[in-house]
Amino acid sequence: MTDRATAPHLAVVGAGPAGLAAALAAAARGVRVTLLDAAPQAGGQFHRRPAAALRARRPQALHHAWRTAERLRESLEAHVQAGRVRYVTDHHVWCAEPGPGTGFTVHALYGPEQREPAEVRADALVLATGGYEKVLPFPGWTLPGVVTAGGAQAMLKGTLTVSGRTAVVAGTGPLLLPVAAGLAAAGVSVAALVESADPKALLRRTPVWAAHPAKLAEGAGYAAALLRRRVPVLTRHTVVEAHGTDRLEAVTVAALDAGGRVRPGTGRRIPCATLAVGHGMLPQTDLAETLGCRMDGLAVRVDAEQRTDVPGVWAAGETTGIGGAELSLAEGHIAGRSAAARLRGARSDPAGLARAARARDRLRGFAAAVESVYTPPAHWTEQITDDTLVCRCEEVTAGAVRQAVTELGAGDVRTVKLLTRAGMGWCQGRMCAPAVAGLTGCALTPNRRPFARPVPLGVLAGRPDQRDDMSDPTGRESG
């Protein structure tokens, strides 16, 4: 048996489904694992649960795949207790880099103000950094009460709260169903579920749904829950404006024609206190980009074993392409097995990996079919007035972005950023980049940043009295 102190060391960034699966698979194969996550509890957005202090009686009522989440948590706890996994919470990773010497150094911030530096040195990395929501603006979207669909779900799952007693859930994508069903189950009056996708497009994918009966049953369960609560479902509709003074009071929705344009005269006003709106997700690739990993569109490119083109770096989950929790688990398991085999100099069990890869590839096919159906309306930018804020951080309007293109000659998102400051704020374009790309008619491309999040200058200066190699990470380990 390998001594734990001398066993090869794998750092896994992100404790969502992909990161958990990777950490557990590697630890089970004799690799020493450090699992870092920004959240106080493992599980990511999908398996988010209320804080223990809230004493929720039935937290599983607002969650799906609860048994899977429990199995993952129990397995993690067992590995932590056995000393195979070091699980570090509330650590926000801002950079990962090769060296010194062989291996990699992962830089993180922790503490109440996320200003205390910490480092993890490892022989290899698995990046399971997940994704973030795609935000598309419209007049009134900055009003209090307008939240993203994932934000509404996070509030409900994590804090057992809602932002209002009446809600409209709108946008496009499979996330809208569980968000609407969850809000309704929590006692919110859901005035409408507004989906821009065409039901005919869903029907054309019937063979794909039929090949995944569990997912079909899950969707049918949400639909049945909404039907029982008499929630109106408006397909081929979109939100064109949110109304209110100090906060949201109502939204206007309208029907879409076959080309994705709003049909004149179809607008209807729906009173509500909350608008939960979502248009899909984008991969979170900052750390992979700082390491120089090759991209495939907006996602990290990986091979059959989830290896990136940077030796010693694997990637799994939404960072390699949006596909849901089940696909993330499959990819994380493959990445953990492959990394463990490489670190131990062992054979990678081709038969076992082949079985896991077949399951992963089936799920990737399903995710591709879903993505082809749930796309924003083709002409969504036509509803954005010139005075609509696009970049909230820098208060840049749609008119300023359009002017940068038509009058100043900007031909890409980066030039628009330089001319208008759109994307120079706290979020560094994560929120506004899709909107800027849509307004300029440019393709949305990866935007390589030196750091994954803002970092205090004192940390960058590398003062010796601030450094912590996490040999004893401030007592913040789980277990």
Side-chain angles (χ1 to χ4, degrees):
M1 180 178 295
T2 303
D3 184 355
R4 291 175 190 163
T6 60
H9 185 198
L10 175 69
V12 179
V13 182
L20 284 171
L24 298 176
R29 288 161 178 80
V31 171
R32 186 165 47 102
V33 177
T34 296
L35 176 62
L36 301 99
D37 196 51
Q41 298 185 72
Q45 167 72 352
F46 188 78
H47 293 306
R48 184 187 295 267
R49 63 175 62 192
L54 293 175
R55 298 181 181 178
R57 294 181 180 179
R58 296 181 62 248
Q60 65 271 28
L62 297 174
H63 294 66
H64 34 280
W66 182 262
R67 292 182 180 177
T68 298
E70 288 294 280
R71 286 196 297 269
L72 289 171
R73 289 172 184 274
E74 290 168 2
S75 297
L76 175 62
E77 181 65 19
H79 282 298
V80 169
Q81 293 292 342
R84 292 183 288 268
V85 174
R86 183 171 58 182
Y87 170 43
V88 185
T89 63
D90 294 308
H91 278 61
H92 301 254
V93 175
W94 57 269
C95 181
E97 59 182 349
T102 60
F104 301 88
T105 300
V106 178
H107 302 274
L109 299 172
Y110 69 91
E113 298 180 356
Q114 299 167 24
R115 299 177 65 88
E116 298 299 321
E119 292 181 356
V120 173
R121 296 184 180 90
D123 301 304
L125 301 177
V126 172
L127 304 178
T129 49
Y132 59 98
E133 287 192 86
K134 181 193 297 182
V135 177
L136 301 180
F138 49 87
W141 75 290
T142 57
L143 281 169
V146 180
V147 297
T148 64
Q153 188 181 60
M155 287 175 61
L156 190 58
K157 284 184 174 182
T159 67
L160 306 179
T161 61
V162 296
S163 63
R165 302 313 304 174
T166 58
V168 169
V169 179
T172 189
L175 178 61
L176 301 188
L177 276 173
V179 169
L183 290 173
V188 176
S189 174
V190 180
L193 171 60
V194 182
E195 168 61 68
S196 64
D198 186 350
K200 293 179 182 177
L202 296 173
L203 293 175
R204 286 194 291 269
R205 301 293 183 179
T206 299
V208 176
W209 314 132
H212 296 270
K215 292 186 177 294
L216 187 62
E218 181 183 350
Y222 293 134
L226 296 177
L227 183 63
R228 286 195 303 270
R229 291 178 170 85
R230 300 182 180 180
V231 174
V233 178
L234 306 176
T235 58
R236 300 273 333 138
H237 279 68
T238 189
V239 170
V240 295
E241 187 172 0
H243 310 281
T245 50
D246 296 330
R247 64 163 292 117
L248 179 69
E249 298 171 4
V251 298
T252 294
V253 304
L256 297 166
D257 63 20
R261 283 190 167 92
V262 170
R263 291 167 51 194
T266 62
R268 68 175 79 175
R269 189 180 177 110
I270 303 175
C272 60
T274 296
L275 170 62
V277 59
H279 291 93
M281 295 184 64
L282 296 170
Q284 183 73 271
T285 60
D286 293 336
L287 291 178
E289 291 176 59
T290 63
L291 285 161
C293 298
R294 183 174 298 180
M295 305 297 292
D296 187 0
L298 296 175
V300 179
R301 178 181 294 184
V302 292
D303 67 7
E305 293 189 16
Q306 301 297 136
R307 294 174 295 205
T308 73
D309 64 330
V310 175
V313 180
W314 285 252
E318 311 283 39
T319 192
T320 68
I322 305 303
E326 191 175 353
L327 175 57
S328 294
L329 285 170
E331 291 187 353
H333 180 77
I334 292 170
R337 292 179 65 151
S338 176
R342 182 262 187 184
L343 289 172
R344 292 179 58 81
R347 202 157 173 261
S348 60
D349 182 16
L353 281 174
R355 288 192 298 272
R358 284 193 295 271
R360 175 198 59 196
D361 293 345
R362 286 195 300 270
L363 291 165
R364 282 182 176 173
F366 180 81
V370 169
E371 184 180 10
S372 70
V373 170
Y374 293 111
T375 59
H379 300 279
W380 61 269
T381 58
E382 294 177 4
Q383 302 306 310
I384 303 179
T385 58
D386 281 348
D387 61 351
T388 301
L389 278 182
V390 172
C391 174
R392 299 177 71 164
C393 297
E394 296 294 322
E395 298 185 341
V396 179
T397 64
V401 173
R402 287 171 173 143
Q403 184 182 35
V405 175
T406 59
E407 298 182 20
L408 303 178
D412 55 60
V413 173
R414 182 176 181 276
T415 304
V416 171
K417 177 179 180 178
L418 294 174
L419 292 172
T420 67
R421 295 191 59 83
M424 289 190 180
W426 180 265
C427 81
Q428 287 293 287
R430 291 174 182 82
M431 296 289 286
C432 65
V436 172
L439 287 167
T440 59
C442 302
L444 183 61
T445 57
N447 184 15
R448 184 171 180 177
R449 307 176 182 90
F451 310 129
R453 55 168 289 115
V455 186
L457 288 175
V459 173
L460 295 179
R463 289 178 292 178
D465 61 343
Q466 285 192 328
R467 301 180 70 84
D468 175 7
D469 67 1
M470 288 186 62
S471 58
D472 177 14
T474 70
R476 299 177 65 85
E477 296 180 28
S478 173

